[in-house]
Amino acid sequence: MSDAKKNSELSVEDLDKLRDELKEELRRELMGEESEDERTEADYPWIVFGVDGTEYGINSKNVLSIEIIGEITPMVDAPSHSPGITRSRGDMIDLLDLRALFGLGDYVSAKKNEDDPVMMMVIETGEKKRGVIVDEIVSVEYITNFLEGVVAEGDAVHSSQYIRQVATRERLDSPVLILNPESLNSL
């Protein structure tokens, strides 16, 4: 069958869709952009944050927002690392207390003042959203120096299932424990 005959069998909707796809592909190519599917973790900056004096990193591709936590509704029989649920941009999400998860106390006992705000990063992996309680946001930067063969050990991390690797920050040459967001959302 000739190409002309194939094209004549396409509907107007199909032709419009094909034209739009080609225009978008050409625009991305001319602008040097990649589609969302083609982007890798290295194309996104990392959010470096602190918990109990240790720096952790998570790729911004997994972070939806950074917010001050409003009211927390405790959940009955929840593990100590899940202090409850809170509202984020109209959705109810469960919270994850990294201090409790890593055996460092909990966010309530770490607050110096009862009125101090509590910060969370809302992360998403797949279809699941979760609010991760952190002490502070240290920086947003590109991290490219991942240490080969180094696993997280020591008192601050009881299990390396939550830490996938160790990196160093470019400017400060300080270690950053890179979180595994999938393992955090599986809790």
Side-chain angles (χ1 to χ4, degrees), residues 5-69:
K5 183 160 174 109
K6 282 183 188 175
N7 286 341
S8 68
E9 292 176 9
L10 294 174
S11 70
V12 172
E13 287 178 351
D14 290 338
L15 289 172
D16 286 343
K17 184 178 177 183
L18 182 60
R19 183 192 69 230
D20 290 343
E21 288 173 2
L22 290 172
K23 281 173 51 178
E24 178 62 19
E25 186 177 327
L26 179 61
R27 183 193 68 75
R28 281 196 323 262
E29 188 174 322
L30 290 172
M31 299 297 289
E33 297 176 356
E34 298 170 331
S35 71
E36 192 67 29
D37 295 338
E38 295 169 332
R39 293 180 78 180
T40 66
E41 204 172 58
D43 295 323
Y44 294 89
W46 293 81
I47 297 177
V48 178
F49 61 94
V51 175
D52 196 41
T54 301
E55 289 185 349
Y56 298 88
I58 189 167
N59 195 278
S60 64
K61 179 178 184 175
N62 298 107
V63 178
L64 298 176
S65 63
I66 298 170
E67 307 173 20
I68 300 296
I69 297 176

Side-chain angles (χ1 to χ4, degrees), residues 5-156:
K5 183 160 174 109
K6 282 183 188 175
N7 286 341
S8 68
E9 292 176 9
L10 294 174
S11 70
V12 172
E13 287 178 351
D14 290 338
L15 289 172
D16 286 343
K17 184 178 177 183
L18 182 60
R19 183 192 69 230
D20 290 343
E21 288 173 2
L22 290 172
K23 281 173 51 178
E24 178 62 19
E25 186 177 327
L26 179 61
R27 183 193 68 75
R28 281 196 323 262
E29 188 174 322
L30 290 172
M31 299 297 289
E33 297 176 356
E34 298 170 331
S35 71
E36 192 67 29
D37 295 338
E38 295 169 332
R39 293 180 78 180
T40 66
E41 204 172 58
D43 295 323
Y44 294 89
W46 293 81
I47 297 177
V48 178
F49 61 94
V51 175
D52 196 41
T54 301
E55 289 185 349
Y56 298 88
I58 189 167
N59 195 278
S60 64
K61 179 178 184 175
N62 298 107
V63 178
L64 298 176
S65 63
I66 298 170
E67 307 173 20
I68 300 296
I69 297 176
E71 184 178 334
I72 297 174
T73 303
M75 300 301 288
V76 176
D77 294 329
S80 63
H81 62 266
S82 295
I85 58 174
T86 192
R87 186 168 295 284
S88 170
R89 300 183 180 198
D91 293 330
M92 292 303 290
I93 60 170
D94 60 320
L95 292 168
L96 174 64
D97 184 350
L98 289 181
R99 282 177 173 271
L101 182 66
F102 296 156
L104 304 169
D106 60 55
Y107 80 94
V108 172
S109 61
K111 287 174 50 170
K112 298 190 184 351
N113 201 333
E114 189 172 312
D115 295 331
D116 286 346
V118 178
M119 187 180 305
M120 73 173 168
M121 290 187 308
V122 179
I123 64 170
E124 179 178 45
T125 54
E127 297 295 315
K128 188 170 183 179
K129 294 178 187 176
R130 168 170 261 167
V132 178
I133 299 172
V134 302
D135 293 348
E136 65 178 331
I137 301 299
V138 175
S139 68
V140 177
E141 60 188 84
Y142 285 92
I143 296 177
T144 57
N145 191 17
F146 296 93
L147 305 178
E148 295 296 323
V150 177
V151 292
E153 296 179 4
D155 295 337

